[in-house]
Amino acid sequence: MSPLPEAELVRSSVQLYRYLLRCCRRLPPGPVQQHYRHAIRQSFKVHADEDDPERIQQIIKRAIEDADWVMNK
């Protein structure tokens, strides 16, 4: 089960970014939420120059799986 029902609709990096930030809103406020928001921003900066569509889809899939793990933790 995905953290939010929109997970299967994520197709682009911008959609993924918005989806992950919405997931962060469901985390307890404070340091935990700030940590994951910062980690999301950093990951997008690191992968900003990625142009291979297959690799982008792999990153999206992995990010959703990771978000699911964090939300269930």
Side-chain angles (χ1 to χ4, degrees):
M1 181 174 145
S2 297
L4 292 177
E6 302 94 32
E8 59 275 353
L9 301 176
V10 174
R11 298 281 181 251
S12 71
S13 56
V14 174
Q15 290 173 333
L16 176 63
Y17 186 75
R18 294 180 70 205
Y19 169 79
L20 293 174
L21 289 178
R22 283 193 299 271
C23 286
C24 278
R25 291 185 203 148
R26 297 177 61 193
L27 294 172
V32 172
Q33 200 176 70
Q34 290 173 355
H35 168 77
Y36 284 107
R37 287 177 64 89
H38 178 74
I40 291 166
R41 287 188 184 111
Q42 291 300 99
S43 293
F44 275 85
K45 288 178 184 177
V46 168
H47 296 290
D49 61 345
E50 188 65 57
D51 59 357
D52 179 19
E54 188 175 314
R55 176 70 178 132
I56 292 170
Q57 289 306 312
Q58 289 174 347
I59 293 169
I60 289 171
K61 182 177 183 262
R62 179 59 191 253
I64 291 172
E65 289 171 357
D66 290 349
D68 187 35
W69 181 84
V70 168
M71 298 303 289
N72 289 326
K73 186 168 100 168

